[in-house]
Each structure stands twice: as C-alpha cells, then as structure tokens.
Amino acid sequence: QVQLVESGGGLVQPGGSLRLSCAASGIVFSVYSMAWYRQAPGKQRELVARIRSGGSTIYADSVKGRFTISRDNAKNTVYLQMNSLKPEDAAVYYCNADWFTDNYWGQGTQVTVSS
C-alpha cells in the first residue's frame, strides 16, 4: 500500500519559514519524481516544485529563490523548505510521487501565512 504522509504545515507570520516533509512508503522512492503542489481556496492546484530521481529541480516562478525542494532517498522523504513566506503562499500543500503511469498523492498539509 502506497502512502505519502505530509507534515510540517502550520501558521507562520509573513516573512517566516516552514519546512514541509513528505514520508513515502510502499514505493521504490529513489526512482520516483517527487513534487509539491498547492491549492488555495477557489484556485486550481498548482505545481510548486519538483525534484526528479536524478536530483534536478524545477520551481514555480512565484517561489523561485524562496523555496527549496530536496530529497533524502535513504529516508524515503522529500522536503520543501519555505522561506520569506507571503500571504499568497497560504494553501494546502500536497506531496506527489510520479513514475511512468504510477502517480500518488498525499492527504495535504495546511500552510497559513498571517500576522
């Protein structure tokens, strides 16, 4: 059974930082492309960052220079370090694992950015 379990969300003030984690089980983690998506109320789910099995990364323009995605294949975990958070970063953040026709989602973790 495949599970992606996100953690690390919460309430943070503008300008603050959070680190999200996504622990995967039931997959050969190292071969999967891992990503973080987010969905704010009334908006479509959007890609935030992706890290491929080889380690290459891509970021949404809105988070470049502020967010960093990384992975630890030994721990089957992908991270999203979020710095200089803005109110517009508030959303439910979802972890995604992708490999050919296999695609899995976590349950999401809420990030709230407010003073």
PDB file of all heavy atoms in Angstrom, residues 38 48-49 59 62-69 80-86 89 93:
ATOM      1  N   ARG A  38       0.288  22.888  -4.501  1.00  0.00           N
ATOM      2  CA  ARG A  38      -0.524  23.583  -3.514  1.00  0.00           C
ATOM      3  C   ARG A  38      -1.847  24.000  -4.142  1.00  0.00           C
ATOM      4  O   ARG A  38      -1.948  24.183  -5.350  1.00  0.00           O
ATOM      5  CB  ARG A  38       0.202  24.793  -2.939  1.00  0.00           C
ATOM      6  CG  ARG A  38       0.440  25.932  -3.923  1.00  0.00           C
ATOM      7  CD  ARG A  38       1.303  27.012  -3.285  1.00  0.00           C
ATOM      8  NE  ARG A  38       1.554  28.135  -4.178  1.00  0.00           N
ATOM      9  CZ  ARG A  38       2.389  29.128  -3.920  1.00  0.00           C
ATOM     10  NH1 ARG A  38       3.072  29.146  -2.764  1.00  0.00           N
ATOM     11  NH2 ARG A  38       2.550  30.107  -4.785  1.00  0.00           N
ATOM     12  N   VAL A  48       4.357  23.546  -7.287  1.00  0.00           N
ATOM     13  CA  VAL A  48       5.251  24.446  -6.566  1.00  0.00           C
ATOM     14  C   VAL A  48       6.704  24.130  -6.905  1.00  0.00           C
ATOM     15  O   VAL A  48       7.476  25.016  -7.275  1.00  0.00           O
ATOM     16  CB  VAL A  48       5.046  24.329  -5.045  1.00  0.00           C
ATOM     17  CG1 VAL A  48       6.051  25.197  -4.292  1.00  0.00           C
ATOM     18  CG2 VAL A  48       3.617  24.709  -4.678  1.00  0.00           C
ATOM     19  N   ALA A  49       7.068  22.860  -6.788  1.00  0.00           N
ATOM     20  CA  ALA A  49       8.445  22.448  -7.058  1.00  0.00           C
ATOM     21  C   ALA A  49       8.482  20.955  -7.330  1.00  0.00           C
ATOM     22  O   ALA A  49       7.643  20.204  -6.818  1.00  0.00           O
ATOM     23  CB  ALA A  49       9.355  22.783  -5.875  1.00  0.00           C
ATOM     24  N   TYR A  59      11.037  24.902 -10.321  1.00  0.00           N
ATOM     25  CA  TYR A  59      10.230  25.675  -9.379  1.00  0.00           C
ATOM     26  C   TYR A  59       9.234  26.551 -10.134  1.00  0.00           C
ATOM     27  O   TYR A  59       9.511  27.027 -11.242  1.00  0.00           O
ATOM     28  CB  TYR A  59      11.119  26.590  -8.533  1.00  0.00           C
ATOM     29  CG  TYR A  59      12.058  25.867  -7.611  1.00  0.00           C
ATOM     30  CD1 TYR A  59      13.347  25.530  -8.012  1.00  0.00           C
ATOM     31  CD2 TYR A  59      11.637  25.501  -6.329  1.00  0.00           C
ATOM     32  CE1 TYR A  59      14.204  24.845  -7.165  1.00  0.00           C
ATOM     33  CE2 TYR A  59      12.486  24.824  -5.471  1.00  0.00           C
ATOM     34  CZ  TYR A  59      13.773  24.506  -5.898  1.00  0.00           C
ATOM     35  OH  TYR A  59      14.615  23.834  -5.051  1.00  0.00           O
ATOM     36  N   SER A  62       6.761  31.856  -8.941  1.00  0.00           N
ATOM     37  CA  SER A  62       6.346  32.585  -7.741  1.00  0.00           C
ATOM     38  C   SER A  62       7.138  32.211  -6.500  1.00  0.00           C
ATOM     39  O   SER A  62       7.097  32.941  -5.500  1.00  0.00           O
ATOM     40  CB  SER A  62       4.853  32.352  -7.484  1.00  0.00           C
ATOM     41  OG  SER A  62       4.593  30.973  -7.322  1.00  0.00           O
ATOM     42  N   VAL A  63       7.845  31.076  -6.526  1.00  0.00           N
ATOM     43  CA  VAL A  63       8.575  30.648  -5.331  1.00  0.00           C
ATOM     44  C   VAL A  63      10.085  30.582  -5.546  1.00  0.00           C
ATOM     45  O   VAL A  63      10.828  30.299  -4.598  1.00  0.00           O
ATOM     46  CB  VAL A  63       8.065  29.279  -4.820  1.00  0.00           C
ATOM     47  CG1 VAL A  63       6.555  29.306  -4.631  1.00  0.00           C
ATOM     48  CG2 VAL A  63       8.489  28.148  -5.739  1.00  0.00           C
ATOM     49  N   LYS A  64      10.534  30.841  -6.758  1.00  0.00           N
ATOM     50  CA  LYS A  64      11.979  30.774  -7.034  1.00  0.00           C
ATOM     51  C   LYS A  64      12.740  31.717  -6.115  1.00  0.00           C
ATOM     52  O   LYS A  64      12.345  32.867  -5.913  1.00  0.00           O
ATOM     53  CB  LYS A  64      12.256  31.139  -8.494  1.00  0.00           C
ATOM     54  CG  LYS A  64      11.982  30.031  -9.472  1.00  0.00           C
ATOM     55  CD  LYS A  64      12.279  30.465 -10.898  1.00  0.00           C
ATOM     56  CE  LYS A  64      11.956  29.356 -11.888  1.00  0.00           C
ATOM     57  NZ  LYS A  64      12.157  29.789 -13.295  1.00  0.00           N
ATOM     58  N   GLY A  65      13.814  31.202  -5.555  1.00  0.00           N
ATOM     59  CA  GLY A  65      14.641  31.999  -4.661  1.00  0.00           C
ATOM     60  C   GLY A  65      14.172  31.998  -3.222  1.00  0.00           C
ATOM     61  O   GLY A  65      14.880  32.464  -2.334  1.00  0.00           O
ATOM     62  N   ARG A  66      12.976  31.485  -2.979  1.00  0.00           N
ATOM     63  CA  ARG A  66      12.438  31.444  -1.613  1.00  0.00           C
ATOM     64  C   ARG A  66      12.249  30.007  -1.112  1.00  0.00           C
ATOM     65  O   ARG A  66      12.416  29.749   0.081  1.00  0.00           O
ATOM     66  CB  ARG A  66      11.097  32.178  -1.554  1.00  0.00           C
ATOM     67  CG  ARG A  66      11.170  33.632  -1.946  1.00  0.00           C
ATOM     68  CD  ARG A  66       9.845  34.356  -1.681  1.00  0.00           C
ATOM     69  NE  ARG A  66       8.736  33.817  -2.462  1.00  0.00           N
ATOM     70  CZ  ARG A  66       7.627  33.305  -1.920  1.00  0.00           C
ATOM     71  NH1 ARG A  66       7.472  33.273  -0.607  1.00  0.00           N
ATOM     72  NH2 ARG A  66       6.655  32.851  -2.707  1.00  0.00           N
ATOM     73  N   PHE A  67      11.870  29.111  -2.001  1.00  0.00           N
ATOM     74  CA  PHE A  67      11.608  27.718  -1.625  1.00  0.00           C
ATOM     75  C   PHE A  67      12.714  26.823  -2.177  1.00  0.00           C
ATOM     76  O   PHE A  67      13.249  27.074  -3.256  1.00  0.00           O
ATOM     77  CB  PHE A  67      10.280  27.243  -2.212  1.00  0.00           C
ATOM     78  CG  PHE A  67       9.046  27.873  -1.610  1.00  0.00           C
ATOM     79  CD1 PHE A  67       9.112  28.976  -0.774  1.00  0.00           C
ATOM     80  CD2 PHE A  67       7.799  27.346  -1.893  1.00  0.00           C
ATOM     81  CE1 PHE A  67       7.978  29.539  -0.231  1.00  0.00           C
ATOM     82  CE2 PHE A  67       6.645  27.892  -1.361  1.00  0.00           C
ATOM     83  CZ  PHE A  67       6.737  28.995  -0.534  1.00  0.00           C
ATOM     84  N   THR A  68      12.987  25.758  -1.434  1.00  0.00           N
ATOM     85  CA  THR A  68      13.958  24.768  -1.873  1.00  0.00           C
ATOM     86  C   THR A  68      13.400  23.372  -1.652  1.00  0.00           C
ATOM     87  O   THR A  68      12.996  23.037  -0.535  1.00  0.00           O
ATOM     88  CB  THR A  68      15.284  24.905  -1.109  1.00  0.00           C
ATOM     89  OG1 THR A  68      15.805  26.234  -1.281  1.00  0.00           O
ATOM     90  CG2 THR A  68      16.304  23.896  -1.623  1.00  0.00           C
ATOM     91  N   ILE A  69      13.382  22.592  -2.720  1.00  0.00           N
ATOM     92  CA  ILE A  69      12.956  21.195  -2.605  1.00  0.00           C
ATOM     93  C   ILE A  69      14.202  20.317  -2.530  1.00  0.00           C
ATOM     94  O   ILE A  69      15.208  20.588  -3.199  1.00  0.00           O
ATOM     95  CB  ILE A  69      12.051  20.789  -3.798  1.00  0.00           C
ATOM     96  CG1 ILE A  69      11.435  19.412  -3.556  1.00  0.00           C
ATOM     97  CG2 ILE A  69      12.799  20.854  -5.120  1.00  0.00           C
ATOM     98  CD1 ILE A  69      10.348  19.051  -4.585  1.00  0.00           C
ATOM     99  N   LEU A  80      10.333  20.401   1.585  1.00  0.00           N
ATOM    100  CA  LEU A  80      10.165  21.709   0.966  1.00  0.00           C
ATOM    101  C   LEU A  80      10.484  22.756   2.021  1.00  0.00           C
ATOM    102  O   LEU A  80       9.719  22.940   2.959  1.00  0.00           O
ATOM    103  CB  LEU A  80       8.752  21.908   0.423  1.00  0.00           C
ATOM    104  CG  LEU A  80       8.546  23.208  -0.354  1.00  0.00           C
ATOM    105  CD1 LEU A  80       9.328  23.163  -1.672  1.00  0.00           C
ATOM    106  CD2 LEU A  80       7.061  23.456  -0.633  1.00  0.00           C
ATOM    107  N   GLN A  81      11.619  23.398   1.871  1.00  0.00           N
ATOM    108  CA  GLN A  81      11.988  24.491   2.749  1.00  0.00           C
ATOM    109  C   GLN A  81      11.407  25.770   2.171  1.00  0.00           C
ATOM    110  O   GLN A  81      11.706  26.131   1.030  1.00  0.00           O
ATOM    111  CB  GLN A  81      13.511  24.609   2.852  1.00  0.00           C
ATOM    112  CG  GLN A  81      13.985  25.762   3.711  1.00  0.00           C
ATOM    113  CD  GLN A  81      13.625  25.597   5.167  1.00  0.00           C
ATOM    114  OE1 GLN A  81      13.777  24.522   5.736  1.00  0.00           O
ATOM    115  NE2 GLN A  81      13.139  26.680   5.790  1.00  0.00           N
ATOM    116  N   MET A  82      10.591  26.427   2.959  1.00  0.00           N
ATOM    117  CA  MET A  82       9.901  27.631   2.509  1.00  0.00           C
ATOM    118  C   MET A  82      10.346  28.809   3.359  1.00  0.00           C
ATOM    119  O   MET A  82      10.131  28.826   4.573  1.00  0.00           O
ATOM    120  CB  MET A  82       8.385  27.443   2.609  1.00  0.00           C
ATOM    121  CG  MET A  82       7.874  26.220   1.879  1.00  0.00           C
ATOM    122  SD  MET A  82       6.073  26.112   1.856  1.00  0.00           S
ATOM    123  CE  MET A  82       5.729  25.861   3.588  1.00  0.00           C
ATOM    124  N   ASN A  83      10.992  29.758   2.728  1.00  0.00           N
ATOM    125  CA  ASN A  83      11.467  30.962   3.402  1.00  0.00           C
ATOM    126  C   ASN A  83      10.746  32.192   2.862  1.00  0.00           C
ATOM    127  O   ASN A  83      10.139  32.142   1.786  1.00  0.00           O
ATOM    128  CB  ASN A  83      12.976  31.116   3.204  1.00  0.00           C
ATOM    129  CG  ASN A  83      13.768  29.972   3.782  1.00  0.00           C
ATOM    130  OD1 ASN A  83      13.381  29.360   4.779  1.00  0.00           O
ATOM    131  ND2 ASN A  83      14.898  29.665   3.158  1.00  0.00           N
ATOM    132  N   SER A  84      10.834  33.266   3.607  1.00  0.00           N
ATOM    133  CA  SER A  84      10.226  34.536   3.190  1.00  0.00           C
ATOM    134  C   SER A  84       8.782  34.343   2.753  1.00  0.00           C
ATOM    135  O   SER A  84       8.353  34.819   1.694  1.00  0.00           O
ATOM    136  CB  SER A  84      11.042  35.166   2.041  1.00  0.00           C
ATOM    137  OG  SER A  84      12.384  35.350   2.423  1.00  0.00           O
ATOM    138  N   LEU A  85       8.032  33.646   3.580  1.00  0.00           N
ATOM    139  CA  LEU A  85       6.654  33.314   3.210  1.00  0.00           C
ATOM    140  C   LEU A  85       5.788  34.565   3.104  1.00  0.00           C
ATOM    141  O   LEU A  85       5.946  35.530   3.868  1.00  0.00           O
ATOM    142  CB  LEU A  85       6.072  32.340   4.226  1.00  0.00           C
ATOM    143  CG  LEU A  85       6.533  30.893   4.018  1.00  0.00           C
ATOM    144  CD1 LEU A  85       6.363  30.070   5.279  1.00  0.00           C
ATOM    145  CD2 LEU A  85       5.771  30.267   2.865  1.00  0.00           C
ATOM    146  N   LYS A  86       4.891  34.491   2.143  1.00  0.00           N
ATOM    147  CA  LYS A  86       3.961  35.590   1.858  1.00  0.00           C
ATOM    148  C   LYS A  86       2.535  35.111   2.085  1.00  0.00           C
ATOM    149  O   LYS A  86       2.263  33.913   1.992  1.00  0.00           O
ATOM    150  CB  LYS A  86       4.119  36.039   0.407  1.00  0.00           C
ATOM    151  CG  LYS A  86       5.524  36.442   0.020  1.00  0.00           C
ATOM    152  CD  LYS A  86       5.598  36.769  -1.466  1.00  0.00           C
ATOM    153  CE  LYS A  86       6.994  37.162  -1.893  1.00  0.00           C
ATOM    154  NZ  LYS A  86       7.064  37.487  -3.341  1.00  0.00           N
ATOM    155  N   ASP A  89       1.183  32.595  -0.269  1.00  0.00           N
ATOM    156  CA  ASP A  89       1.667  31.217  -0.206  1.00  0.00           C
ATOM    157  C   ASP A  89       0.729  30.314   0.596  1.00  0.00           C
ATOM    158  O   ASP A  89       0.902  29.094   0.600  1.00  0.00           O
ATOM    159  CB  ASP A  89       3.051  31.154   0.435  1.00  0.00           C
ATOM    160  CG  ASP A  89       4.128  31.834  -0.395  1.00  0.00           C
ATOM    161  OD1 ASP A  89       4.126  31.663  -1.628  1.00  0.00           O
ATOM    162  OD2 ASP A  89       4.964  32.545   0.195  1.00  0.00           O
ATOM    163  N   TYR A  93      -0.817  22.178   0.977  1.00  0.00           N
ATOM    164  CA  TYR A  93       0.318  21.683   0.208  1.00  0.00           C
ATOM    165  C   TYR A  93       0.258  20.160   0.130  1.00  0.00           C
ATOM    166  O   TYR A  93       0.107  19.484   1.146  1.00  0.00           O
ATOM    167  CB  TYR A  93       1.624  22.132   0.853  1.00  0.00           C
ATOM    168  CG  TYR A  93       1.944  23.583   0.556  1.00  0.00           C
ATOM    169  CD1 TYR A  93       1.196  24.612   1.119  1.00  0.00           C
ATOM    170  CD2 TYR A  93       2.980  23.929  -0.316  1.00  0.00           C
ATOM    171  CE1 TYR A  93       1.469  25.943   0.829  1.00  0.00           C
ATOM    172  CE2 TYR A  93       3.266  25.255  -0.606  1.00  0.00           C
ATOM    173  CZ  TYR A  93       2.495  26.251  -0.031  1.00  0.00           C
ATOM    174  OH  TYR A  93       2.777  27.562  -0.319  1.00  0.00           O
TER     175      TYR A  93
END
